[in-house]
Amino acid sequence: MKIAVVDDERPARSELKYLISQCEPNAEIAEADDSETFLEMDSERFDVCFVDINLGGMNGTTLASMIKRKQPDTLIIFATAFQEYAVKAFEIGAIDYLLKPFDYERVKRALARVH
């Protein structure tokens, strides 16, 4: 499984990558610290993208919409501190919405939805 983690906060990205690797030890995990960096990975296809809402220049919901247009089979899981975007996230087609701080059991349940 190929997974992308897009979050502008290094500690949050590191923690999420660690938890994902504990749940999915064989996953290939890529990371981006902003939407532009992620968009530069244009040729890569991901099974799942964990996307933060606040990415600096671009809102995570906008990035998720772009991902779904280019890679309709990619599953989106929002991973953020902002609960007020949950409705918008599910309108875009997200399969889950994780709130920071992350914990193992919650990440495990989110990844169970992928299978």
Side-chain angles (χ1 to χ4, degrees):
M1 177 180 314
K2 196 165 183 182
I3 298 173
V5 174
V6 187
D7 194 316
D8 62 334
E9 299 173 3
R10 179 178 297 282
R13 251 188 355 261
S14 295
E15 180 67 12
L16 189 51
K17 284 175 49 186
Y18 171 77
L19 293 170
I20 292 167
S21 70
Q22 295 302 298
C23 297
E24 296 284 339
N26 296 321
E28 180 182 335
I29 305 171
E31 66 179 288
D33 60 0
D34 59 27
S35 55
E36 292 79 21
T37 303
F38 177 81
L39 293 172
E40 288 172 5
M41 298 188 285
D42 187 56
S43 63
E44 293 192 54
R45 295 279 182 208
F46 296 99
D47 299 301
V48 182
C49 289
F50 286 80
V51 180
D52 188 17
I53 293 292
N54 187 1
L55 293 173
M58 180 185 295
N59 185 290
T61 57
T62 303
L63 178 61
S65 294
M66 293 172 71
I67 294 168
K68 290 304 280 180
R69 274 195 304 275
K70 293 180 97 176
Q71 300 179 28
D73 295 334
T74 299
L75 302 174
I76 304 293
I77 298 174
F78 281 93
T80 185
F82 299 97
Q83 63 185 4
E84 62 268 20
Y85 290 92
V87 171
K88 176 73 173 169
F90 288 109
E91 287 174 352
I92 293 168
I95 64 163
D96 210 334
Y97 198 91
L98 302 177
L99 289 174
K100 295 176 183 177
F102 308 122
D103 68 74
Y104 172 79
E105 287 301 323
R106 187 64 186 90
V107 171
K108 184 177 177 181
R109 284 196 314 268
L111 286 168
R113 292 176 179 229
V114 172
H115 297 291

